[in-house]
Amino acid sequence: MTDLFSPYQLGSLTLANRFVMAPLTRNRAGAGEAPTELAAEYYAQRAGAGLIISEGTQPSAVGQGYPHTPGLHTDEQVAGWTLVADAVHARGGRIVAQLMHAGRISHEAITGLRPVAPSAVTPAGEVYTEQGMKAFEAPRALEAAELPGVIAEYVDAARRAVQSGLDGVELHAANGYLLQQFLADGSNTRTDGYGGSPRNRARFVVEVATAVAGAIGADKVGIRISPGGSFNDITETETEQTYDALLEGLNPLGLLYLHILEGPDTDFHELLRKQWGGPLILNTGFTGPSDLVTAQEVVDTGAADLFCIGRGFLANPDLVERLRSGAALNEPDMDTFYTGGAKGYTDYPLLSA
């Protein structure tokens, strides 16, 4: 039986244990969509995780999907993330920034800009804005000549993450945001070299990963995928072929890790585990089991090297110690997930309190 609480070497990063804090949207960015001292406290409280993956962080203004989410495209935001990185490192933790371009999962009421996407396919549903819920609007299809500029935005954000002192970045190619919009045939109806076949739909994601790895080092770049997922009105009809093409493009890069988000309704991680040449993180999603027993089984069976937990870390800053000792867990207060302020953010009780 693998000791989940012993150190694990993830590339050049020595992690204190095999538990990963999942990226969790909290909508608490300050002026200029920059992290604040409160965010630094929040992440530092959770530095007992082997690795923290930050909340989704937009690499450009048009990439913002929700109000008060942080960015990594201005000097002010770099200063905010420096606060976070310093606070986490002071407590011995490791943290990477999740770079999340929302693509069509946005609204002009949030950014002042029309959302962009691989194709002009409007997603079903609504998005929260400061003016209340609004139906998604038709995105503008990115022209092929624009794609190098979008890649450059990812590269710039990754460089800013390293400048902030963060340990790297995770490219968010899951949950129906821009990179998965390119992968999925339901949102990508392009007829150029970036659509029409699994390999072409994977091309943009591979190009982003290649450029970011070239800029900051592959050992500082992870990627998250959710094959077969339907969140944010994503539909994939060639899932196996698409992710086979994606991993064929990513494997030679030597990235830090592959992070698979897979709930109980899909079952691709075993196939992907055989195809992926590097470390793998498994996340069972919002509806899947996310406890110590599951984590132990996942690592012992070789399904993954690390196990990712979301709400457990949200409500329990000292989650790893609670799991180690078998202590009771705090219940998450869902009413405060996205409300702003310290309540439900930095005020969950510790065992030592």
Side-chain angles (χ1 to χ4, degrees):
M1 181 180 292
T2 304
D3 182 3
L4 303 182
F5 301 96
S6 63
Y8 176 80
Q9 195 67 34
L10 180 65
S12 62
L13 299 177
T14 301
L15 311 185
N17 53 69
R18 292 182 184 241
F19 295 99
V20 177
M21 176 176 160
L24 299 160
T25 298
R26 303 308 308 272
N27 302 90
R28 283 166 166 86
E33 309 302 353
T36 63
E37 290 278 8
L38 187 64
E41 179 184 356
Y42 165 76
Y43 283 113
Q45 286 177 344
R46 290 153 179 81
L51 178 68
I52 296 172
I53 305 172
S54 84
E55 61 206 283
T57 301
Q58 56 266 12
S60 63
V62 74
Q64 184 174 0
Y66 307 100
H68 308 301
T69 55
L72 254 171
H73 54 92
T74 71
D75 292 345
E76 186 177 14
Q77 292 160 1
V78 168
W81 282 112
T82 300
L83 294 175
V84 172
D86 288 350
V88 170
H89 291 155
R91 297 199 188 181
R94 297 293 190 180
I95 180 170
V96 298
Q98 186 191 67
L99 300 185
M100 180 186 120
H101 191 307
R104 67 180 189 166
I105 306 300
S106 185
H107 201 282
E108 193 168 350
I110 297 169
T111 65
L113 302 165
R114 185 178 175 187
V116 296
S119 304
V121 179
T122 307
E126 297 179 315
V127 64
Y128 175 76
T129 76
E130 302 234 61
Q131 293 80 46
M133 300 299 293
K134 291 183 181 289
F136 286 113
E137 55 191 344
R140 179 179 66 79
L142 288 161
E143 297 179 8
E146 295 180 272
L147 297 183
V150 180
I151 294 171
E153 290 171 347
Y154 275 97
V155 168
D156 176 66
R159 285 177 170 150
R160 289 177 182 274
V162 173
Q163 179 186 348
S164 302
L166 297 165
D167 295 298
V169 300
E170 175 180 279
L171 301 175
H172 196 354
N175 295 96
Y177 298 113
L178 182 68
L179 295 185
Q180 192 178 19
Q181 290 163 29
F182 270 90
L183 293 170
D185 53 344
S187 51
N188 182 348
T189 60
R190 301 176 73 99
T191 57
D192 62 5
Y194 292 91
S197 71
R199 185 176 302 278
N200 283 358
R201 290 197 305 274
R203 177 182 171 186
F204 182 67
V205 182
V206 173
E207 289 183 355
V208 170
T210 301
V212 171
I216 66 170
D219 63 338
K220 292 183 174 64
V221 183
I223 188 168
R224 185 192 210 196
I225 58 174
S226 55
S230 59
F231 189 67
N232 280 326
D233 197 33
I234 279 291
T235 55
E236 296 175 340
T237 64
E238 297 179 302
T239 304
E240 186 173 325
Q241 301 93 319
T242 299
Y243 288 88
D244 180 73
L246 177 64
L247 294 197
E248 183 181 334
L250 294 178
N251 260 322
L253 300 180
L255 300 182
L256 182 63
Y257 64 77
L258 175 69
H259 176 186
I260 300 176
L261 174 66
E262 184 167 70
D265 298 329
T266 57
D267 187 22
F268 290 100
H269 74 270
E270 292 184 7
L271 177 64
L272 296 173
R273 176 61 157 170
K274 294 175 183 177
Q275 294 174 287
W276 179 245
L280 193 148
I281 300 171
L282 184 64
N283 184 328
T284 56
F286 199 77
T287 57
S290 190
D291 53 19
L292 181 59
V293 172
T294 304
Q296 192 72 62
E297 181 181 4
V298 162
V299 174
D300 283 346
T301 60
D305 303 291
L306 301 162
F307 190 71
C308 195
I309 300 176
R311 285 168 293 168
F313 273 110
L314 184 154
N316 298 273
D318 52 358
L319 177 65
V320 173
E321 188 53 42
R322 287 174 185 265
L323 293 176
R324 191 198 309 267
S325 65
L329 302 183
N330 300 320
E331 287 296 320
D333 178 9
M334 295 185 66
D335 291 338
T336 59
F337 278 8
Y338 315 114
T339 53
K343 182 173 174 55
Y345 189 55
T346 55
D347 63 349
Y348 282 103
L350 301 169
L351 282 174
S352 58

